[in-house]
Amino acid sequence: MLNPVSWKSNDGKIVRCYSHKLDNQGGRLRLIEQTLLPEKLKYVELDDTESIFDAIKRLVVRGAPAIGCAAAIGLAAIVRKESFSNSTELVNFAQENANRLAESRPTAVNLFWALDLCMREIKENINAAPDDLQNILLKTALDILEEDIQMCRSIGMHGKELLKDGMGILTHCNAGALATGDYGTALSPMYVAHEAGIELKIYADETRPLLQGSRLSAWELNQAGIDVTVICDNMAAQVMKEGKIDLVIVGSDRLSANGDAANKIGTYGVAILAKYHNIPFYVAAPYSTFDLSLDSGDKIPIEQRDPEEIANAFGRRTAPKGINFYNPAFDVTPNELITGIITEKGIFHPPFSFK
Ligand code: MRU
């Protein structure tokens, strides 16, 4: 168990679900510092708005469900640190801080979904005392985490049905345990299959520019004893042509009602390659990643990131100064390229209509 996102209580307990023993003040959001992986496994503990904002923005915690869980638990930590003379004051303070955290990244809908859920819960209980509201907020945040762990597990059980001994599976970016409360979305079927003794050969796209595939997916699959091979992003076509890939599974940061799926930049290209080579292409995501207010993926906001991630990513200049860079962090795979969407409720096939 990696515990990418958890709560650390004042008495040092690391917690992933609410218990009444936690009804004291204080506590902190605890995260794996993912920018240091695979070299170092280090945890950080945070309880102030700007460091939580910064952790989400800098990808200390990343992956749509993990971002949602971290924002919710972070908000609980921020609010628990303060004292309030009345509940309206607490709710206004929480809203201000939720608004700030919501500005950290634009594409993963789980961020907004989790913060909205937390705010709704405390607004509905505005008549409770401030101390009780602090506990209600923490309970809501830990319920989001616990539910995410369960949903990922269910995605794994459904997705496992697609996997057979000896299959080669390609994945892009990291939609594994590190990107969620635990197990992951795209990697969860692989973990469940592995537990059942099914031998798979996983290919992890390196995933430029920040290498979530090689730094994170390869690291966590290897930790779990699963056979994993890293390829550069531009090798996927060749590896498919060589017949090494039977199935593609990726995660998503936001799905629209028609099944279009935003995911890490490069996913769209992989989907086109899979179509050309007649390889089934699956997206795995929990309901917290669906944005049913959007009819199509065209309306999903695409995060633009710092050009330095391309020009100077790992401490070495790899392009000349004085030129242009374009760094969209996500792309949208249109539903017609998707064979199926693996959710906690089962696998959905086209035509998709989630409204
Ligand atoms: O920029 P990141 O690392 O947050 O991007 C993450 C991805 O694109 C994941 O594939 C996606 O969030 C699914 S995570 C279960």
Side-chain angles (χ1 to χ4, degrees), residues 122-166:
I122 54 171
K123 282 178 184 165
E124 276 170 12
N125 288 286
I126 186 101
N127 292 328
D131 282 6
D132 293 334
L133 278 189
Q134 284 167 323
N135 289 333
I136 288 169
L137 184 53
L138 178 58
K139 177 173 180 346
T140 308
L142 288 171
D143 284 351
I144 288 172
L145 175 63
E146 202 186 346
E147 200 189 350
D148 185 67
I149 295 168
Q150 299 308 330
M151 286 190 302
C152 287
R153 187 78 191 167
S154 301
I155 286 172
M157 310 283 263
H158 292 298
K160 172 190 163 259
E161 299 307 314
L162 301 168
L163 308 182
K164 310 237 166 349
D165 218 40

Side-chain angles (χ1 to χ4, degrees), residues 64-65 109-110 147-148 150-156 158-159 175 179-180 184-189 249-256 259-263 282-291 338 340-348 354:
V109 76
N110 306 60
E147 200 189 350
D148 185 67
Q150 299 308 330
M151 286 190 302
C152 287
R153 187 78 191 167
S154 301
I155 286 172
H158 292 298
T180 62
T185 54
L187 301 195
S188 183
I249 313 183
V250 297
S252 178
D253 290 81
R254 192 185 302 219
L255 282 130
S256 53
D260 293 347
N263 194 46
Y282 284 87
V283 174
Y287 80 86
S288 51
T289 302
F290 284 77
D291 183 351
I338 300 173
I341 299 177
I342 311 167
T343 75
E344 69 278 19
K345 298 197 177 95
I347 304 179
F348 292 82
F354 292 101

Side-chain angles (χ1 to χ4, degrees), residues 158-339:
H158 292 298
K160 172 190 163 259
E161 299 307 314
L162 301 168
L163 308 182
K164 310 237 166 349
D165 218 40
M167 268 186 164
I169 299 167
L170 177 70
T171 191
H172 190 75
C173 192
N174 172 263
L178 289 164
T180 62
D182 217 334
Y183 306 111
T185 54
L187 301 195
S188 183
M190 304 171 199
Y191 288 127
V192 175
H194 180 70
E195 281 160 21
I198 296 171
E199 300 281 348
L200 303 167
K201 190 158 181 57
I202 312 303
Y203 289 84
D205 273 346
E206 184 181 43
T207 317
R208 278 284 286 150
L210 295 181
L211 308 184
Q212 287 93 328
S214 58
R215 289 192 305 105
L216 307 177
S217 291
W219 180 80
E220 63 166 86
L221 288 165
N222 186 49
Q223 293 275 314
I226 298 179
D227 180 334
V228 57
T229 303
V230 170
I231 58 170
C232 299
D233 298 344
N234 52 5
M235 296 170 187
Q238 178 63 18
V239 175
M240 286 181 180
K241 192 175 169 197
E242 288 171 9
K244 293 185 163 69
I245 307 296
D246 299 295
L247 195 80
V248 177
I249 313 183
V250 297
S252 178
D253 290 81
R254 192 185 302 219
L255 282 130
S256 53
N258 67 347
D260 293 347
N263 194 46
K264 179 54 56 192
I265 191 76
T267 304
Y268 176 34
V270 173
I272 293 171
L273 294 178
K275 183 90 169 175
Y276 183 81
H277 291 93
N278 283 319
I279 296 168
F281 179 94
Y282 284 87
V283 174
Y287 80 86
S288 51
T289 302
F290 284 77
D291 183 351
L292 302 186
S293 73
L294 302 182
D295 293 333
S296 107
D298 297 344
K299 300 190 184 109
I300 297 175
I302 302 295
E303 178 178 14
Q304 300 295 324
R305 290 189 64 89
D306 191 340
E308 281 298 291
E309 290 180 351
I310 303 178
N312 228 345
F314 298 98
R316 177 152 192 258
R317 188 97 202 157
T318 52
K321 292 194 172 149
I323 60 150
N324 302 316
F325 293 94
Y326 178 51
N327 189 14
F330 299 95
D331 56 30
V332 177
T333 299
N335 58 31
E336 63 263 27
L337 297 178
I338 300 173
T339 311

Side-chain angles (χ1 to χ4, degrees), residues 76-94:
I78 292 164
V79 171
R80 231 168 144 80
K81 213 168 65 160
E82 305 293 325
S83 44
F84 301 92
S85 49
N86 61 62
S87 295
T88 307
E89 199 185 300
L90 181 149
V91 168
N92 291 342
F93 177 83

